[in-house]
């Protein structure tokens, strides 16, 4: 069921000529589920908890930054009802379309960054998150908060400059994450190809981790992400899939086919084959060769 969300309006939060607010907030269970008519950058600085966004609940930890467009409903919650044990601290940077117009002077590359900001300022855009891999986002957030809290000579210029740096840094990180994901998917495809080529051998997750230079834990996550199965389940189904192809297209003995896909024990092969395919290898061959 769709939850109702309270609307936060810019005139209640951006009560200055800057049309900008940067705060540090200890999340709790009292803040309402809400949307707003301004753009918000939320940086998780301490602790752990959950970010409720539309129909999703996302576990959060230090170093995660969320960009919340106009109209997207969300709220942070701590991981425990005893926040003093593990406080969830979030830095929030709020600004509206008036500030976007000001930033267009500083941001010379009006396309695509300004277009990106303008899309965030219109209803219908989706939220996104990036990871602060090198700590640069945290430094910018802390400097923004410090300059907002203790303004000095040239604070307006400094705040606009820091906000521009934050926007560009996050935008770069967004596409760096996408590029990293593309490269990772390509590398994982090579792992799958290796498995297909070495199917008759004793393939282990540890061996794949060694050749891919990923940890076994990360590799297991990759299998779940790209195949929807664990490593063991995917390997088993791959072996049976290849054995089906050879049963249909060759006259090899079933024992030889079993061995060619990595099964040394024919009884085990027959049992796994029937469990996955629904019939014994011989029956499968006869049905597909008639």
């Amino acid at each position: 069921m769709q939850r109702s969300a309270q609307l936060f309006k810019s005139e209640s939060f951006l009560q200055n000529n800057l049309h900008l607010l940067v705060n540090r907030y200890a999340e709790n269970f009292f803040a309402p589920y809400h949307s707003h008519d301004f753009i918000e950058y939320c940086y998780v600085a301490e602790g752990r908890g959950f970010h409720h966004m539309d129909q999703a609940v996302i576990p959060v930890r230090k170093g995660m930054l969320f960009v919340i467009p106009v109209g997207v409903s969300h709220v942070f919650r701590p991981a425990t009802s005893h926040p003093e044990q593990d406080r969830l601290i979030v830095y929030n940077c709020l600004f509206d379309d008036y500030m976007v117009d000001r930033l267009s002077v500083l941001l010379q590359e009006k396309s695509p960054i300004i277009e990106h900001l303008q899309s965030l300022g219109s209803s219908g855009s989706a939220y996104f998150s990036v990871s602060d891999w090198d700590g640069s986002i945290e430094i910018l957030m802390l400097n923004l908060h410090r300059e907002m809290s203790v303004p000095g000579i040239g604070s307006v210029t400094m705040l606009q400059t820091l906000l521009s740096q934050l926007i560009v840094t996050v935008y770069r990180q967004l596409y760096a994450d996408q590029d990293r994901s593309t490269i990772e998917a390509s590398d994982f495809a090579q792992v799958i190809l290796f498995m297909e080529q070495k199917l008759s051998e004793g393939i282990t997750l540890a061996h794949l981790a060694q050749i891919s230079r990923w940890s076994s834990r990360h590799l297991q996550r990759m299998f779940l992400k790209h195949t929807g199965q664990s490593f063991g389940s995917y390997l088993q189904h791959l072996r049976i899939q290849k054995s089906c192809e050879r049963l249909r297209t060759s006259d090899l003995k079933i024992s030889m086919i079993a061995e060619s896909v990595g099964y040394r024990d024919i009884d085990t092969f027959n049992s796994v084959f029937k469990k996955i395919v629904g019939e014994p290898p011989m029956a499968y061959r006869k049905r597909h060769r008639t």
Side-chain angles (χ1 to χ4, degrees), residues 20 41 93 95 99-100 102-109 113-114 117 140 144 156-172:
L20 171 71
Y41 281 47
C93 177
F95 59 96
M99 174 58 80
V100 173
R102 286 188 175 185
L103 293 179
S104 64
V105 178
L106 292 173
L107 296 169
Q108 296 300 311
E109 298 110 326
I113 297 177
I114 290 297
L117 282 177
L140 287 167
L144 275 163
V156 171
T157 301
M158 182 64 75
L159 285 166
Q160 290 181 353
T161 302
L162 288 169
L163 179 57
S164 297
Q165 290 180 36
L166 175 66
I167 290 166
V168 173
T169 298
V170 171
Y171 186 82
R172 285 179 172 178

Side-chain angles (χ1 to χ4, degrees), residues 236 239-240 255 258-266 268-269 272:
Q236 190 176 72
R239 283 176 163 156
I240 299 304
S255 59
E259 188 172 345
S260 73
V261 296
Y263 286 96
R264 300 292 179 262
D265 181 74
I266 188 64
T268 301
F269 171 72
V272 174

Side-chain angles (χ1 to χ4, degrees), residues 161-206:
T161 302
L162 288 169
L163 179 57
S164 297
Q165 290 180 36
L166 175 66
I167 290 166
V168 173
T169 298
V170 171
Y171 186 82
R172 285 179 172 178
Q173 188 64 58
L174 172 64
Y175 285 95
D177 285 348
Q178 292 177 350
D179 290 343
R180 187 180 294 111
S181 179
T182 300
I183 293 169
E184 193 174 67
S186 177
D187 289 343
F188 183 72
Q190 294 301 310
V191 171
I192 297 299
L193 179 62
F194 176 85
M195 291 176 66
E196 293 177 350
Q197 293 172 341
K198 303 291 184 180
L199 207 53
S200 64
E201 302 178 13
I203 302 171
T204 65
L205 189 63

Side-chain angles (χ1 to χ4, degrees), residues 1-120:
M1 185 176 68
Q2 188 76 25
R3 285 188 292 177
S4 60
Q6 183 175 332
L7 176 63
F8 286 179
K9 295 189 175 182
S10 58
E11 56 260 31
S12 300
F13 290 85
L14 309 179
Q15 298 175 343
N16 53 42
N17 293 329
L18 277 172
H19 294 257
L20 171 71
L21 174 68
V22 184
N23 64 20
R24 179 181 185 275
Y25 191 73
E27 299 294 345
N28 52 55
F29 291 94
F30 306 107
Y33 186 66
H34 63 274
S35 63
H36 31 70
D37 63 358
F38 47 81
I39 300 168
E40 184 174 19
Y41 281 47
C42 308
Y43 179 76
V44 181
E46 298 177 28
R48 56 190 179 87
F50 300 93
H51 196 182
H52 298 252
M53 306 189 66
D54 291 332
Q55 301 302 310
V57 179
I58 304 170
V60 298
R61 64 185 185 281
K62 175 180 171 58
M64 298 177 71
L65 179 133
F66 293 86
V67 176
I68 316 298
V70 167
V72 172
S73 302
H74 75 120
V75 71
F76 285 94
R77 295 298 188 216
T80 172
S81 58
H82 303 285
E84 67 278 0
Q85 297 176 3
D86 193 7
R87 294 193 306 165
L88 177 60
I89 304 296
V90 176
Y91 283 81
N92 302 290
C93 177
L94 290 53
F95 59 96
D96 60 13
D97 53 359
Y98 184 88
M99 174 58 80
V100 173
D101 290 339
R102 286 188 175 185
L103 293 179
S104 64
V105 178
L106 292 173
L107 296 169
Q108 296 300 311
E109 298 110 326
K110 294 189 178 182
S111 179
I113 297 177
I114 290 297
E115 291 179 3
H116 166 70
L117 282 177
Q118 290 172 341
S119 70
L120 294 175

